[in-house]
Amino acid sequence: DIVMTQSPDSLAVSLGERATINCKSSQNILYNFDNKNYLAWYQQKPGQPPKLLIYWASTRESGVPDRFSGSGSGTDFSLTINRLQAEDVALYYCQQYYKTPPTFGQGTKVEIK
Amino acid sequence: QLQLQESGPGLVKPSETLSLTCIVSGGPISTDTYYWDWIRQPPGKGLEWVATVYNSGATYYNPSLRSRLTTSVDTAKNRFSLKVTSVTAADTAVYYCARRRPTTVTTGYFDYWGQGALVTVSS
């Protein structure tokens, strides 16, 4: 299985500042045929299911605020939350869908400093 | 708006069978565009993909769990189901049903999720 490793495990950011979460895959998840990175990001608030934020590493899901952005390629990816708001406090997961089974990172907890 | 809702017993005894159903509303499960998946999350831990089913009844399972899994679809009732046999404490988790946008029959990303059903395995 492809192992997804996120860093840090948690971070505290001041309101209005930027939060950056990293995700590293154990193998390349860029498919040369279509030049797409097979990576998604999810947000999970307490007591709720995960919510899809980003797919193809950088495509924002409909309705997701533009302060959320994804970047990276190959094995190294990032989720950036600009202008952090109180409602962004959550766990964030990356997920690869390059190979079966789809696998998730261990999660990164974002809190307010 | 598509909605998914899991249902099933919250407590299962060790060695018995865990059964869950996901009722889909707001859209047909018979669509050719999507797959229907199960994902679980042990308390305080990360997410694990479990299984998928297509409207044709085709199924695919996580290799690590395959021998104990059965998933099925009922297009007439717009729902799909999961059974896990011979459960142990390690199967204690919140079980989510989700809709998957496929990139292959077994990969893709998940755009709609149910609220989740906590299943505890304990005597």
Side-chain angles (χ1 to χ4, degrees), chain B residues 11-33:
Chain B
L11 182 64
V12 181
K13 290 183 168 54
S15 80
E16 295 191 344
T17 297
L18 177 165
S19 296
L20 291 166
T21 296
C22 180
I23 298 173
V24 179
S25 58
I29 201 170
S30 58
T31 175
D32 290 339
T33 308

Side-chain angles (χ1 to χ4, degrees), chain A residues 66-111:
Chain A
D66 61 6
R67 64 178 183 277
F68 291 91
S69 63
S71 62
S73 186
T75 60
D76 293 282
F77 302 89
S78 295
L79 173 71
T80 299
I81 311 171
N82 288 305
R83 306 179 304 280
L84 189 80
Q85 300 187 8
E87 66 200 53
D88 301 333
V89 168
L91 270 166
Y92 291 85
Y93 293 95
C94 59
Q95 177 231 331
Q96 67 79 21
Y97 48 98
Y98 181 85
K99 189 179 283 191
T100 298
T103 49
F104 296 83
Q106 81 277 17
T108 295
K109 188 175 186 179
V110 173
E111 300 172 306

Side-chain angles (χ1 to χ4, degrees), chain A residues 53-55 58-69:
Chain A
L53 295 176
I54 285 169
Y55 54 96
S58 62
T59 301
R60 212 176 295 114
E61 174 70 340
S62 176
V64 173
D66 61 6
R67 64 178 183 277
F68 291 91
S69 63

Side-chain angles (χ1 to χ4, degrees), chain A residues 28-38 56 73-74 98, chain B residues 103-104:
Chain A
N28 177 50
I29 57 174
L30 168 63
Y31 189 24
N32 291 332
F33 178 77
D34 58 12
N35 200 36
K36 289 183 175 180
N37 289 284
Y38 282 51
W56 299 127
S73 186
Y98 181 85
Chain B
T103 49
T104 70

